[in-house]
Amino acid sequence: MKVSPLTLFLVVLSNELIDVLSSSLKPQRFKGRVQRDRRNIRPNIILIITDDQDVELGSLQVMNKTRRLMEQGGAHFTNAFVTTPMCCPSRSSMLTGKYVHNHNTYTNNENCSSPSWQAMHEPRTFAVYLNNTGYRTAFFGKYLNEYNGSYIPPGWREWVGLIKNSRFYNYTLSRNGFKEKHGFDYSKDYFTDVITNDSINYFRISKKIYPHRPVLMVISHAAPHGPEDSAPQFSELFPNASQHITPSYNYAPNMDKHWIMQFTGAMRPIHMEFTNILQRKRLQTLMSVDDSVDRIFQMLAETGELDNTYVIYTADHGYHIGQFGLVKGKSMPYDFDLRVPFFVRGPNVEPGSIIPQLVLNIDLAPTILDIAGLDIPADMDGKSILKLLEPEKPGNRFRSNKRARIWRDTFLIERGKLLRKKEDGTGDAQQTNYLPKYERVKEVCQQAKYQTACEQPGQKWQCVEDSAGRLRLHKCKGTTKVHAGSKKSKSLRGQAYASNHCDCSSNSYRMRQSERRNQRQFLNIHTTHKFKHRFLRTRPIRSVSVELEGEIYDIDLEIADPEPLIPQNITMGSYQEDAATGEAVESVMIGEDGSKAGESVLDSVKVTHKCYILANETVHCEKELYQSARAWKDHKSYIDKEIEALQDKIKNLREVRGHLKRKKPEECDCNRKREVAQEVDNKLQLFKENRRKKKDRKIKKRMRKGDSCSLPGLTCFTHNNEHWQTPPYWNLGSFCACTSSNNNTYWCLRTINETHNILFCEFATGFLEYFDMNSDPYQLTNTIHMVDREVLNQLHIQLMELRSCQGHKQCTPRTKGAETGNKDGGSFDQHRGQLWDGWEG
């Protein structure tokens, strides 16, 4: 068969075309599928938190791996702060994106992981939002100081949370609801390594099983928090650590600052030696964190997820070691306690970039939601920082009025809760640099409840302008009509709770003598019958009032045979009623031999179903507990569980009691002013007496323990040779030092922009502080008396507004002209003469 050359040419050409088309189409189809799948994968998010890590004292200088990966490979925020320099409040703000006054966790004890926190705020953390939208969420490490491990917080698919406060050895974890105890073996118990290993394993398994599901991980380290136990391989590093010796180191006393700073004097040599060793041990613990960060990045690179993962590194607050004579601690409104490290690395983040804008711990939650592509709730006080990470676009050379990037330059610092009023005039008499009285009265009179002329129900004060034009507070008098009434009695037949309604009826009204005389004259003129001029009841009395133990009861006399009153049992024995005689018969405890026990047994207290406490304060249990090791162990486990359950119940009861105190309804006022005043006075006297007794008990307890360190109103600690269980050890003996005080409650404004760097604080004692960090970067001198009074008033108004702000629109103040690009957004700029223009939005 002959094939023509043309046919042969066409066949060869067709084969070549098929090969070319097949070789070009297959890679394109595969490449398109990979890109399409990759676009559907949202970025992973890893948040790394350290505990008590400072910036001002040089802790980052030794973390070379972290700085190489995060600072050189990502963005460094040089002005990162926390809004409350305490562990639990700051961590609560991180989780919720809210200021302390909006989530109500004021201290490490007040509302920290409480039932109200669990009910109101924990269901609204960033983990809940991401978990509901498909993220695989996991938490490893320290959660909140008072977390007891009895539950798994909502929003976390994998939960490995530390119970209570930071520890490196001898701690307990809550692993997905099951408690896991750890000992003192470094190879399997060192806390930093445990949570690092768990987080790496979880990420690998998640990506293996669910390759297209994004992961959110929080790795919360205990370092460099106490007890500062380092890994053995780092225990000899940094023998000459001195980064903590700043210009404010041992700068004491400070008579121009608030009370605790005036009280604190210069450190003794033993205190200074302690600060040197403490700094060294803190840096040693951070070396394990440095290795942890490096291992996490290696894992991301091995799994191919490094380019699709945002890594955020920060701390819950700063720290001080010897600054202003304070041996150690946090909770002060100064930069060494407020500034924290803050790095972000991830997609579209320019490596090595430095961002000077203010970022806060309340920005973490909205930023994480923004990274995940979710809407930010309006009640979050913080803002997403993603727009700060966007690279600057090249400007148009023909456009001269380029709009500047708008961002905050002022934020609120708040710490502690309001103090009770002093019982006497002593205490904080030296705190005298508050605002003038007329300015404070003027501020109070702006409230609506003081602007009416004693017309509102329950109004006690009104604002009145005097002849000089100044506002005065006058007490409301004689504005309410009060009817006379007798003390309401209780019925012995039963007790019912009425609604919150004041029953001030006139049933017991008694006419005055003039009214009775007028009525008598009216009856004589207008009636023909002769009446006995008696206005008292003449019918037989039907009931009588009896006072019993301070309460008044009504006894109905028309009942033929009133029931006898049976007293309530207030002794340890139980009362039973004899069916034959109707008399109360006391039941008697039967001993093991079947005979009646003596008076000591009658007075015994039954603690468990097998153990009693006798009258002579000795404990007696059943024989099997002393004979069987198994029975002893089972009963001890039962007691441990009972103690834990009762502790949780007591905590819940205290929460309910506080709620009831806050929601107490108003009592009726029916001509009982004297009785109420006497009752209030009695309660006040009882309260003072109980406080005095409690104080005496604490003093006696300290004396029994030989503790001479604790002082009233101060937060102190004792350090001895047994405190540190890992090298380098302390062998210079015990000493005492005080770190804070009960009146260290404050609200501050912090402003940083291209012209100003200031701190203005108002303390609960009325004391004021003002620092200009442009001229005084270490806040050595309080210059409040050099600031114009009008400027202070403006700062005070701005501070009061921030203290009550809700949501980022209110909590992000801006000035007039910010939209025109005059500066990077911000607040009232006092020295430029601008006026406060309210809130953003």
Side-chain angles (χ1 to χ4, degrees), residues 707-755:
D707 181 11
S708 58
C709 180
S710 300
L711 297 174
L714 292 174
T715 303
C716 307
F717 74 96
T718 302
H719 189 83
N720 52 39
N721 294 347
E722 287 75 33
H723 182 76
W724 284 324
Q725 300 298 318
T726 56
Y729 299 103
W730 174 260
N731 54 13
L732 298 181
S734 62
F735 67 87
C736 171
C738 296
T739 59
S740 187
S741 61
N742 292 348
N743 61 5
N744 189 28
T745 295
Y746 53 78
W747 300 268
C748 301
L749 283 178
R750 187 73 167 89
T751 298
I752 298 179
N753 53 45
E754 65 267 21
T755 58

Side-chain angles (χ1 to χ4, degrees), residues 395-555:
N396 188 342
R397 61 191 180 94
F398 298 105
R399 183 181 177 184
S400 58
N401 57 345
K402 181 182 177 182
R403 185 173 177 176
R405 177 178 289 172
I406 304 301
W407 193 253
R408 73 163 73 90
D409 70 349
T410 298
F411 66 95
L412 171 68
I413 306 165
E414 51 187 342
R415 189 266 177 188
K417 56 182 179 178
L418 289 175
L419 304 174
R420 292 191 300 267
K421 291 184 178 180
K422 294 288 184 180
E423 298 177 6
D424 50 26
T426 61
D428 297 318
Q430 70 272 25
Q431 309 292 312
T432 56
N433 67 341
Y434 44 75
L435 294 175
K437 181 179 179 180
Y438 72 90
E439 292 290 350
R440 287 181 284 135
V441 172
K442 182 179 178 181
E443 175 195 335
V444 171
C445 288
Q446 293 177 358
Q447 302 181 26
K449 63 181 180 179
Y450 298 119
Q451 295 178 1
T452 57
C454 293
E455 297 174 355
Q456 301 183 33
Q459 183 176 352
K460 297 181 180 180
W461 300 88
Q462 66 167 335
C463 285
V464 179
E465 189 173 352
D466 61 8
S467 58
R470 290 193 174 186
L471 293 172
R472 304 285 187 183
L473 279 175
H474 283 202
K475 192 170 185 179
C476 297
K477 296 181 180 180
T479 57
T480 57
K481 297 181 179 180
V482 182
H483 299 283
S486 62
K487 190 174 182 179
K488 189 176 180 181
S489 59
K490 296 182 181 179
S491 174
L492 291 178
R493 288 183 172 274
Q495 185 177 4
Y497 293 102
S499 62
N500 190 14
H501 174 69
C502 293
D503 185 9
C504 299
S505 60
S506 59
N507 294 334
S508 59
Y509 175 72
R510 181 181 179 89
M511 290 188 294
R512 297 191 297 271
Q513 186 176 2
S514 60
E515 293 176 333
R516 295 173 62 190
R517 183 171 59 253
N518 293 336
Q519 186 177 7
R520 190 180 298 115
Q521 294 175 358
F522 177 85
L523 293 175
N524 289 334
I525 296 173
H526 295 87
T527 60
T528 57
H529 298 283
K530 298 295 183 183
F531 291 97
K532 279 180 128 183
H533 303 305
R534 299 185 61 187
F535 296 89
L536 300 175
R537 290 174 299 195
T538 57
R539 62 175 174 80
I541 190 168
R542 298 179 183 177
S543 64
V544 65
S545 297
V546 178
E547 185 173 0
L548 178 63
E549 296 181 353
E551 301 289 343
I552 295 178
Y553 300 87
D554 284 340
I555 300 178

Side-chain angles (χ1 to χ4, degrees), residues 48 69 96 133 165 185-186 228 322 325 386 393 401 405 447 479 526 534 560 595 597 600 642 697 740 753 828:
I48 303 173
L69 295 169
T96 61
T133 57
N165 208 352
D185 187 350
Y186 167 75
E228 300 96 9
L386 278 190
K393 297 180 180 179
N401 57 345
R405 177 178 289 172
Q447 302 181 26
T479 57
H526 295 87
R534 299 185 61 187
S595 61
S600 61
E642 286 291 309
R697 287 195 299 268
S740 187
N753 53 45
F828 167 75

Side-chain angles (χ1 to χ4, degrees), residues 281-297:
K281 291 182 72 71
R282 283 168 54 85
L283 297 180
Q284 291 173 356
T285 61
L286 288 173
M287 297 306 296
S288 295
V289 178
D290 200 36
D291 286 348
S292 172
V293 173
D294 186 50
R295 291 181 57 195
I296 290 171
F297 271 88

Side-chain angles (χ1 to χ4, degrees), residues 46 48 138-141 158 160 171 173 175 180 182 185-206 217-221 233 288-289 291-299 302:
I46 298 178
I48 303 173
F139 187 95
F140 305 92
E158 180 75 9
V160 184
Y171 56 87
L173 293 175
R175 187 178 293 274
E180 177 181 289
H182 287 260
D185 187 350
Y186 167 75
S187 61
K188 58 183 180 181
D189 295 323
Y190 192 66
F191 183 75
T192 305
D193 294 346
V194 167
I195 62 174
T196 301
N197 296 335
D198 289 342
S199 61
I200 291 176
N201 293 337
Y202 177 80
F203 192 93
R204 290 182 183 275
I205 294 174
S206 295
M217 288 199 315
V218 176
I219 307 170
S220 181
H221 293 285
Q233 63 269 26
S288 295
V289 178
D291 286 348
S292 172
V293 173
D294 186 50
R295 291 181 57 195
I296 290 171
F297 271 88
Q298 291 180 12
M299 176 269 298
E302 293 171 1

Side-chain angles (χ1 to χ4, degrees), residues 91-97 117 124-126 143-144 156 365 380:
R91 291 171 179 268
S92 301
S93 295
M94 289 180 176
L95 291 167
T96 61
W117 158 264
R124 298 178 62 83
T125 62
F126 62 79
Y143 184 53
L144 299 175
W156 302 104
M380 284 190 175

Side-chain angles (χ1 to χ4, degrees), residues 36 42 167 206 264 276 305 340 361 380 450 485 681 832:
R36 184 168 58 253
R42 289 182 289 173
R167 301 287 293 274
S206 295
T264 303
N276 295 336
E305 297 289 334
V340 291
N361 54 344
M380 284 190 175
Y450 298 119
D681 186 63
R832 281 187 262 181

